[in-house]
Amino acid sequence: MERVDFTETSPLKLEILFSMALLEPRPVEIVIKETMMPNATESLPMWTITLERLFLLSLENAIFFEKYNGKFKSMILSFKNKTLVFILLIYFSSIPFIKSQSPSKDCFETATDRPELYLPLLKNKNVIVAANQTSLLKNKKHLVDFLVENNIKIKSIFAPEHGFRGTADAGEHVKSGVDKKTGLPIVSLYGDNKKPKAEYLKGADVILFDIQDVGVRFYTYISTLTYIMEAAAENNIEVIVLDRPNPHDGYTDGPMMRDKWKSFIGLHNVPVVYGLTIGEYGKMVNGEKWLKNNVTAKYTVIPMLNYHKQKRYGVSDKPSPNLPNDKSINLYPSLCFFEGTQVSVGRGTDLPFQVYGSPWTKNFAYQFTPKPTEGAKDPFLNGKLCYGENLSQYSKDLRQLNLEWLLKSYKNYKNPQQDYFLKNLFFDKLAGSDELRKQMIAGKSEKEIRESWKKDLENFEKIRQKYIVYPN
């Protein structure tokens, strides 16, 4: 249960409460069955404000319910001023007669575009913002600039892999510095400093996290969020996540991460595709006690409006240099295994994560040559002619990993002097264990490989279901 403290009331907080009720306004209907809540005195009947939202008013609390995945989850709005509750009761009782314009149920908004829900939580607080180039409002204004305009006291910026402006190569060491536009200090959370040090948190009250993820285990932004949560818990600092769409939401697939192979590209025992938004993922990390020493962070998710896990919404900006568009993001979970092999995924071309090929798979017709580019200063197989496939016209919206390309490439690889898999066995870190590599060597079919994932995926689904916030 998420708790928002309204004990110190203000016109702005009232406005937020009223806006919750007025989203998609409908005639009020009395629910026949009364619902009694803990600590409620002289409970009143529950009223439906919309098909998705409910309010229960008592002398001490207003309990706000929002319907997700067929169930109502509650948020308690606590008051010391009991007179205010009676005012609210009168206000809500008048709603049946209100006929106002409102967003349709198809009107989608990211959490960043719902400032009425998060600005009050930041007022008079010292805030650290974890952000990058994807931290945009729908008008393309950057979150940091928006917060500065609204007089939020920003202490510093935490930048993930690829940096605050998102131009660094994958794995490139990103230096700390200063944002030229705002003059705010930037602390890199990549390289040797993946977890915020206590000195960087000194004086902070809140860490506000707003970074577009892609919903895949080896994409490092969920690891950055984990380390932020861990450091925040150790230093008694709240973490607020502004939720964004997961472009691979609504399904789970792939091999499970095993403890022996955990790293920054896979900190938790989850499958390659885990089917949670980054806000939901953080709730799972907290709820399953996956932070170091079983600490629990003070953690709040600001939800999106009208988000559905089976729909696809696109992204505000490319989440990293080599995922430039929806096509590359769609193919990413299936093609990233190649990063542990002698096969290029198109880094250093105009089609990163939309092509694959190797100098030693000459049976393929398509050819390309990786060359240095922004975001791929020294691409794998730089300057070498590669033979493979061009998937840039692949139109299927993938809802499972496609192993066909990996298995086809492996079977066509011919280089007796060099093994298909890199010597450092980075492939195993990507796959979560050595099992997939050994299955490929043994000549297992895609069907057999998928069957080996089934039990782990079923067990993970039991965990995942506990943290789903949105309709699935």
Side-chain angles (χ1 to χ4, degrees), residues 151-433:
N151 300 313
I152 300 300
K153 295 187 290 185
I154 302 177
K155 183 178 182 293
S156 62
I157 299 167
F158 283 169
E161 183 179 4
H162 307 294
F164 180 52
R165 297 300 175 189
T167 56
D169 290 7
E172 180 182 349
H173 181 81
V174 179
K175 295 181 180 179
S176 298
V178 174
D179 178 44
K180 293 180 180 178
K181 184 171 183 179
T182 62
L184 292 167
I186 299 173
V187 177
S188 171
L189 295 185
Y190 196 65
D192 299 330
N193 185 44
K194 293 181 174 68
K195 179 178 174 179
K197 298 176 183 177
E199 62 193 84
Y200 299 138
L201 301 172
K202 190 174 181 180
D205 302 304
V206 177
I207 301 175
L208 183 67
F209 186 101
D210 179 28
I211 296 173
Q212 175 66 57
D213 187 45
V214 299
V216 183
R217 185 182 65 213
F218 30 69
Y219 206 65
T220 61
Y221 297 160
I222 53 173
S223 295
T224 295
L225 174 60
T226 299
Y227 282 137
I228 285 175
M229 291 172 63
E230 194 171 280
E234 293 167 354
N235 291 272
N236 195 31
I237 296 171
E238 182 179 6
V239 176
I240 299 175
V241 173
L242 302 182
D243 216 0
R244 287 186 177 272
N246 172 1
H248 287 282
D249 211 342
Y251 74 100
T252 62
D253 202 17
M256 191 70 63
M257 173 59 67
R258 309 295 182 198
D259 289 345
K260 179 180 176 181
W261 286 271
K262 285 181 178 178
S263 70
F264 194 61
I265 60 167
L267 287 177
H268 308 121
N269 300 117
V270 301
V272 171
V273 180
Y274 45 79
L276 297 168
T277 67
I278 197 161
E280 292 172 326
Y281 194 95
K283 287 171 70 74
M284 178 175 66
V285 170
N286 229 16
E288 297 301 309
K289 305 286 187 182
W290 286 347
L291 299 178
K292 186 178 179 181
N293 298 323
N294 294 325
V295 296
T296 301
K298 185 180 180 184
Y299 182 84
T300 301
V301 176
I302 304 299
M304 293 175 279
L305 176 66
N306 292 330
Y307 176 76
H308 196 289
K309 298 174 81 64
Q310 295 295 334
K311 291 185 180 180
R312 296 295 177 255
Y313 299 87
V315 295
S316 59
D317 199 348
K318 58 184 179 182
S320 54
N322 289 287
L323 291 182
N325 52 41
D326 292 337
K327 288 184 177 181
S328 59
I329 293 171
N330 182 44
L331 295 165
Y332 176 72
S334 301
L335 297 188
C336 197
F337 292 113
F338 284 126
E339 302 255 69
T341 73
Q342 297 293 341
V343 179
S344 165
V345 290
R347 293 183 189 269
T349 74
D350 293 334
L351 297 170
F353 284 99
Q354 296 168 73
V355 299
Y356 72 89
S358 170
W360 304 285
T361 54
K362 294 184 179 180
N363 289 340
F364 291 98
Y366 180 72
Q367 300 178 17
F368 65 91
T369 302
K371 296 178 180 179
T373 59
E374 184 179 0
K377 298 179 180 66
D378 184 21
F380 184 59
L381 299 176
N382 186 5
K384 294 183 179 181
L385 181 62
C386 297
Y387 305 82
E389 281 192 271
N390 181 350
L391 303 174
S392 62
Q393 300 306 311
Y394 186 82
S395 59
K396 185 177 180 180
D397 176 16
L398 288 172
R399 302 294 171 118
Q400 67 174 27
L401 299 183
N402 186 320
L403 292 178
E404 173 193 351
W405 304 314
L406 181 65
L407 297 179
K408 190 193 304 184
S409 171
Y410 178 72
K411 290 175 181 177
N412 281 276
Y413 182 81
K414 293 177 174 60
N415 183 357
Q417 279 76 46
Q418 199 168 34
D419 189 50
Y420 181 81
F421 301 98
L422 299 180
K423 289 182 179 179
N424 62 7
L425 296 182
F426 184 62
F427 184 90
D428 294 355
K429 285 188 175 182
L430 290 167
S433 75

